[in-house]
Amino acid sequence: MHLSVALRTSLCACAIWAFLGQPAGAGGGDGPVSLIDAGSPRASRALLRNADDLKPAERAKHTVMEIGPETDPYEKVAWEFEFTEPLPGAWQRLVLEVEFFDEGAGVIQPLLLKDDSLSGEWSRPNRSVSFTRLNTKTYRRAFFEFDAAALASTATKNPHLRIFGLQYLRAIRAHGALSASQWHAAERSVPGRVEPMLALERPMQINCTVGIPDVGNPPSLAVALENIREYAPLAKLLGFTSVECFVRWDLLEPREGEFDFSHYDTLVSAIQEHGLKWFPNLVITSAFALPSWYYESGGHNGLRCLEHQQLNQVPTIWNDDTKKHVVRVLSAFGKHYEAKGVLEAVRLGPSGNFGEAQYPAGAGSALGYHGEQMHAHIGWWAGDAFARTSFQEFLRTRYGTVDALNAAWGEGAASFDHIAPRLPETYATRRGRLDMTEWYTASMTRWCDFWAEAARAAMPNTPIYMSSGGWGFREAGTDFTAQSESMKKHGGGIRLTNETDSFEQNVYATRLAATAARLYGIPLGYEPAGYHSGRGTVARFFNTITTNGANLYTRHSVLFENSFSVDRWIRDYPKLDRRADPLIEVALYYPETMNQLDDGTFRHLYAWGFNSRAAEIRRRVDVDYLDERLIRAGFLDRYRVLVFCWGNTIEDDVQRAIDAWIRKGGTAIYPTYPHGPQETVEGDQSRFLAWERGDTGEGVFRRFKGDMEPVSLYGDYVEEVLQGAASLSPLTRQALAIQHPEHVYFSVLTNGSLVALNYGDKQASVSLEGRFTETIAPYSFQFLPLE
C-alpha cells in the first residue's frame, strides 16, 4: 500500500510554501515552522523525495507516515527531505523537532546536508534529546540542533535532510533556537523506566555500552549522564541486564592513598535508575588510565619492544612493584562496591592497550598517558630490564647450567647473566625459540592469573571475567587455554573480545577459547572486536546458543543505530533460552607448537594454512579445537575424530598422547603438506611414519594425498571419512547427512536439538531424507528435528 495520490502530490510538489517569512505566531522568528505534517499534507513545506517508499498508517487516532523495514544489513532505510528556501540569515542554528509515534525500538538519526559534492557531505546534530524509540505506544518529540550556517544551498542533487531509524512520522517542525527551559522539558520527557520487550526464562549476563566517555582528562561526566538518560532505557527495553564502561585508576585514586569514588558513584546511581546493573571493565594499568602521581613519580616502567627498543606506556608485567598497586586498587574497589549489590559482574583489564589480557598491539596508539600518542604495534614487548631478569630466572630453572642451555640452543653463552630476550627468528635452534616464546606467553598467563587472584580476593561474591582477545598470534601473548585453566582456579570466566562480522572468522578466532571454557567448566562471554552488521548480530546469537554462552556484549552504537540489527535482535533474543552445550565429536588439532615456531601460522588473521582448512571442515560439521595443553590434560579422549589442518612440528609428549588415543580406537585425518611428515621438535618422524604404514592399533589413520588447493578438496575428503566413521553418534551422522547449500552451518546440542544457520542473502532449503525439508530465511537460524 502506498501513499494516497493527494498526499504524494502534495509532498512532491515543486511549489512549496515559503516558510521563512511567516509572521510571529505563524512560524516566524525562531519558529516553530511546520515542514511536514502527515495530518495536513497540503500544508507541508518540504519536499519528500522518496514518497513512494512510504505508506499512510493510523496510530492512536492520528494519521502518520510509515516507512518500510530494512532488509539489507548494509543499506539503511532513510527518509529524504528537500528544503526549497534558504534559512533566514538570523538563524545561526536549526533545531529540528521530529514528532513520532513511539513503537518498536531504535535510534532516530538525522543528517543535514552541508556539501552537495559527489554523494554529499553530512553533518550530525550538535545536540540531541529524546531520540530513542522506546515502544511506549505514545506520541513523542525528538529534538536535534544543527549549525544552520553549514546547510547547503537550496538547489541540490542530494536531499537536504536524511533521517534513519524513524518508523512512524507525524510531523517535523523547524526552530531557530530552543530556550534552556524547553531543552530541560525535552530531557524530562524521556521515559526513565520502560517495560522490557524481551526477557529470558534462563537469565544470562547481557551487557552493552550506553555512551559513557572513557577518555579525556577527565572524561565528561555531564556527557555520560546525558547518554545514560537516552540510551539506558533503550538497553533495558531490548533485554540488556547491565551497562559496561571502563573504570580508570586515575579517577579512583587521583592522589596516592586517597580513593575517590564520586565519579563512578554518580554513574552507577544513574544506571540503577533505569533498572540496570553495572558491568565495569577495570583498566587499572592501561596507559590512558594511569594517575599522574604514579606515572610521573619514577615508579612507572613501561614495556619496551624488541623490534625498535622503544617504550610503550603500559606498565611492564615483570615489575613486581606494580602488583602492590593492583592489589590496593582492586581491594578498594571491591570494598566499596561489592556489598552495594550494583555489580552484575566485573571484567578484568590486566594489560594491553584497552585492558586486554595481552601485550600491546596495533590499535590504541592514541591512548597513551593523558591521551598522548605512544609507540604501539603488534610485536615482541620484552625489551625492558625486568623482562630480562625474569627470562634469565626462567632459563636457570629450566636448564640448571649454562652448558645445558648452550647444548639445546646451539650457542655459546658465557653465563645466564649474558642472556636477554631477543626476536624469535634469531635463535639457532627450534628449542631456543620455543624457550623464548613459551616464557613470553607464560609470563602473560601468570600476570593474568595474579590479577584474577587479586580480584577474587577483593570481590569473593562477584562474577569475574578475563578479557581475552586477539586471534592466537604469539606476539599477543594470549594463551586461551591457559587463561581458561587459570580462571577455573579462581571461579571466573573468559570474555572473548574478538568476534567479527564473518561467521567463519569467528570460528577461527573464538573456537579454541570456547572449547577450553566448556572443557574447564567456566562461563564464556562474547564481544565484537569492532563493527558488526545485522547479519553479525544473528551469527553472534547462534554462536552464543550453540556454545552455551553466559555473557553477551555489544557496543550501543553498533546495535542501536542499525534498524536491521535491532529487528534481528528482537526476533532472535528469545532463542537464547535454548542455549546448551554442543555435541561435538570431531576435534581439530590447533598447531600451537607450530605457532610458537613460525610467525606466519596465526600472525595473519586469514592465515592460509590452518584457518582456510578449518573453515572447510566447519562447513561440514561442528568442531572443537584442541591445543597441546588440552591434549596433555586428557581431553582428547572425549572425541572420536581428530583432524589436522596445518602444522607439521609437534612436541613429543603431545604426539605420544595422540598415538595412544589412536591405538585405543580414535580416527585421525591428516592433509598433504609441503613440509613433509609430521615430526617432533627434535625431528623424529618415526611415530608418524608408523601411522602411515597402518600401525595404529584399534584406530584409523587417513592421509589425504590430493592437492591442497582449492581447500574444498580437503574438506570433501574429511567429510567422506566422517560419513564412514562408525564411531560417530547417530545425531552427528544425521547432521552430516543433511543436504544444504553453501553458507548454511549446523550445530547439534546435547539436548538433542539441531540448530541451522543460514548466513547467506538468499533463502536456503535444507533436507534430511525421511525426516524433514525446511526453508530457512536469509540471515537467520532455526531449530530442526533430529532423532
Side-chain angles (χ1 to χ4, degrees):
M1 179 179 180
H2 293 288
L3 289 171
S4 66
V5 173
L7 180 56
R8 275 194 289 117
T9 301
S10 173
L11 293 176
C12 297
C14 294
I16 298 178
W17 287 12
F19 60 83
L20 306 172
Q22 301 295 314
D30 285 339
V33 174
S34 177
L35 302 183
I36 291 288
D37 190 331
S40 303
R42 295 186 180 280
S44 295
R45 295 169 170 84
L47 170 66
L48 183 55
R49 286 190 168 188
N50 59 333
D52 287 339
D53 296 335
L54 311 175
K55 63 181 180 180
E58 292 293 323
R59 288 293 184 274
K61 300 181 181 180
H62 293 284
T63 299
V64 294
M65 291 180 282
E66 177 184 2
I67 199 165
E70 292 184 355
T71 59
D72 188 325
Y74 304 109
E75 185 85 24
K76 287 187 175 183
V77 170
W79 302 71
E80 300 193 344
F81 300 93
E82 179 181 327
F83 305 153
T84 59
E85 297 287 343
L87 293 172
W91 279 23
Q92 297 301 310
R93 296 180 180 85
L94 169 63
V95 179
L96 292 178
E97 173 190 341
V98 178
E99 185 176 1
F100 63 101
F101 186 74
D102 183 18
E103 184 172 306
V107 176
I108 300 171
Q109 309 150 64
L111 296 176
L112 199 64
L113 184 69
K114 58 188 293 188
D115 186 339
D116 194 39
S117 61
L118 301 176
S119 59
E121 184 180 348
W122 305 83
S123 62
R124 295 179 178 274
N126 303 317
R127 185 175 186 179
S128 305
V129 174
S130 188
F131 51 84
T132 52
R133 291 163 46 209
L134 300 174
N135 202 43
T136 61
K137 305 296 178 64
T138 62
Y139 282 96
R140 293 178 49 216
R141 297 180 180 185
F143 295 88
F144 306 94
E145 181 182 85
F146 294 87
D147 179 1
L151 183 62
S153 62
T154 302
T156 67
K157 63 177 182 293
N158 291 291
H160 287 100
L161 173 67
R162 280 181 171 164
I163 302 180
F164 303 98
L166 174 64
Q167 185 181 17
Y168 297 110
L169 173 64
R170 184 178 181 186
I172 299 179
R173 304 174 186 92
H175 302 256
L178 291 185
S179 66
S181 62
Q182 287 174 310
W183 282 115
H184 292 155
E187 292 167 359
R188 292 192 299 272
S189 74
V190 180
R193 288 274 186 162
V194 298
E195 187 67 28
M197 298 174 67
L198 304 165
L200 296 177
E201 294 179 4
R202 294 179 55 216
M204 59 182 292
Q205 298 151 352
I206 305 180
N207 61 307
C208 66
T209 59
V210 292
I212 297 172
D214 295 314
V215 297
N217 296 289
S220 173
L221 186 58
V223 170
L225 295 176
E226 290 172 3
N227 287 339
I228 291 172
R229 178 193 68 225
E230 299 290 342
Y231 290 114
L234 182 54
K236 183 70 173 179
L237 182 76
L238 290 175
F240 286 92
T241 56
S242 60
V243 168
E244 181 165 317
C245 69
F246 286 163
V247 172
R248 293 168 37 163
W249 182 9
D250 59 344
L251 296 181
L252 289 178
E253 193 180 14
R255 292 165 297 279
E256 185 173 11
E258 297 180 20
F259 287 95
D260 180 356
F261 298 98
S262 58
H263 181 90
Y264 293 107
D265 283 348
T266 303
L267 296 180
V268 171
S269 178
I271 290 167
Q272 285 184 293
E273 288 177 4
H274 299 284
L276 295 164
K277 288 200 168 186
W278 192 29
F279 200 130
N281 183 0
L282 307 180
V283 291
I284 295 171
T285 51
S286 290
F288 69 92
L290 299 175
S292 299
W293 62 261
Y294 166 76
Y295 184 82
E296 298 172 5
S297 67
H300 167 262
N301 295 276
L303 291 160
R304 184 183 295 273
C305 72
L306 295 176
E307 290 84 355
H308 314 100
Q309 289 299 313
Q310 291 194 40
L311 285 172
N312 180 280
Q313 294 173 349
V314 173
T316 175
I317 65 172
W318 292 283
N319 182 2
D320 285 342
D321 189 59
T322 308
K323 291 182 176 180
K324 68 180 182 183
H325 294 298
V326 173
V327 170
R328 284 190 316 99
V329 177
L330 291 179
S331 297
F333 182 89
K335 182 178 180 180
H336 184 78
Y337 284 112
E338 185 173 59
K340 295 179 180 293
V342 301
L343 301 173
E344 180 178 59
V346 165
R347 179 174 165 192
L348 308 182
S351 190
N353 298 332
F354 306 95
E356 308 94 335
Q358 65 181 47
Y359 297 99
S365 61
L367 292 179
Y369 172 68
H370 280 187
E372 297 174 357
Q373 286 282 333
M374 64 178 175
H375 188 65
H377 56 79
I378 292 176
W380 299 94
W381 296 92
D384 63 85
F386 298 98
R388 177 172 178 160
T389 299
S390 173
F391 189 45
Q392 292 168 356
E393 292 173 353
F394 168 82
L395 295 175
R396 284 191 181 94
T397 301
R398 169 154 292 187
Y399 288 102
T401 67
V402 73
D403 290 340
L405 179 143
N406 285 332
W409 284 20
E411 297 184 8
S415 71
F416 287 110
D417 293 337
H418 289 85
I419 298 173
R422 61 181 197 256
L423 292 174
E425 60 266 26
T426 65
Y427 289 87
T429 66
R430 290 175 175 174
R431 186 56 61 193
R433 175 174 177 138
L434 285 173
D435 285 339
M436 188 274 173
T437 57
E438 178 187 338
W439 160 81
Y440 184 78
T441 305
S443 293
M444 181 55 69
T445 299
R446 285 193 299 273
W447 178 248
C448 294
D449 184 77
F450 153 73
W451 256 77
E453 181 179 20
R456 177 52 71 220
M459 292 164 281
N461 302 309
T462 300
I464 58 175
Y465 285 85
M466 185 60 65
S467 304
S468 299
W471 54 89
F473 58 95
R474 266 313 102 220
E475 295 97 320
T478 304
D479 187 328
F480 292 116
T481 59
Q483 289 181 10
S484 297
E485 185 180 41
S486 165
M487 295 308 289
K488 171 68 173 180
K489 179 173 59 177
H490 300 297
I494 290 286
R495 159 75 78 79
L496 297 176
T497 65
N498 51 9
E499 281 193 313
T500 72
D501 212 38
S502 163
F503 173 76
E504 290 183 351
Q505 194 176 112
N506 285 346
V507 175
Y508 308 157
T510 70
R511 188 48 53 108
L512 180 61
T515 301
R518 188 173 73 259
L519 294 179
Y520 285 117
I522 66 172
L524 173 67
Y526 288 107
E527 171 184 331
Y531 164 81
H532 67 77
S533 70
R535 67 195 290 264
T537 298
V538 174
R540 299 190 69 224
F541 275 126
F542 178 84
N543 233 13
T544 298
I545 290 168
T546 59
T547 56
N548 204 9
N551 168 229
L552 184 64
Y553 162 90
T554 193
R555 295 169 183 81
H556 69 285
S557 57
V558 171
L559 175 66
F560 295 175
E561 295 181 2
N562 188 310
S563 295
F564 187 92
S565 293
V566 171
D567 290 345
R568 270 71 189 158
W569 180 275
I570 294 171
R571 181 192 68 185
D572 292 335
Y573 181 101
K575 299 173 187 174
L576 290 169
D577 272 330
R578 303 182 68 175
R579 64 193 187 276
D581 284 339
L583 173 64
I584 298 179
E585 299 176 291
V586 179
L588 270 56
Y589 167 67
Y590 185 89
E592 181 55 34
T593 301
M594 197 73 173
N595 188 26
Q596 302 274 358
L597 290 171
D598 184 348
D599 291 344
T601 305
F602 289 107
R603 171 64 178 82
H604 302 289
L605 184 56
Y606 302 98
W608 71 272
F610 178 84
N611 286 342
S612 59
R613 285 160 183 78
E616 280 297 323
I617 311 306
R618 180 60 187 93
R619 289 168 189 163
R620 292 156 170 82
V621 66
D622 203 355
V623 296
D624 276 341
Y625 287 2
L626 296 181
D627 69 352
E628 282 77 351
R629 183 182 307 278
L630 297 178
I631 292 174
R632 286 174 176 136
F635 290 122
L636 179 57
D637 290 342
R638 301 190 181 195
Y639 301 87
R640 306 291 186 179
V641 179
L642 180 65
V643 181
F644 293 85
C645 292
W646 186 252
N648 70 315
T649 306
I650 192 169
E651 289 283 11
D652 178 75
D653 66 316
V654 176
Q655 191 187 56
R656 187 167 59 250
I658 295 172
D659 180 69
W661 171 82
I662 293 174
R663 293 181 183 281
K664 289 188 296 184
T667 297
I669 307 173
Y670 201 86
T672 303
Y673 277 108
H675 299 302
Q678 186 185 83
E679 62 185 27
T680 67
V681 174
E682 291 71 30
D684 184 0
Q685 301 178 358
S686 60
R687 200 174 284 124
F688 180 85
L689 295 176
W691 297 345
E692 286 201 309
R693 292 194 306 268
D695 182 5
T696 57
E698 298 177 9
V700 176
F701 179 80
R702 294 282 185 262
R703 184 166 188 189
F704 177 60
K705 297 181 180 179
D707 291 332
M708 290 303 286
E709 300 294 337
V711 293
S712 59
L713 295 176
Y714 186 53
D716 292 341
Y717 177 78
V718 171
E719 184 174 5
E720 180 182 347
V721 174
L722 293 177
Q723 288 172 341
S727 62
L728 294 176
S729 70
L731 288 174
T732 300
R733 293 169 66 85
Q734 285 182 72
L736 281 164
I738 296 173
Q739 300 297 308
H740 62 91
E742 193 177 12
H743 306 308
V744 174
Y745 305 86
F746 300 96
S747 184
V748 179
L749 305 184
T750 52
N751 60 15
S753 299
L754 172 72
V755 195
L757 168 69
N758 177 11
Y759 212 51
D761 59 2
K762 304 288 191 302
Q763 70 177 18
S765 176
V766 299
S767 62
L768 179 59
E769 186 175 358
R771 293 289 297 143
F772 61 78
T773 297
E774 298 282 350
T775 299
I776 307 176
Y779 310 129
S780 67
F781 61 90
Q782 63 188 65
F783 291 78
L784 302 176
L786 283 183
E787 290 183 347

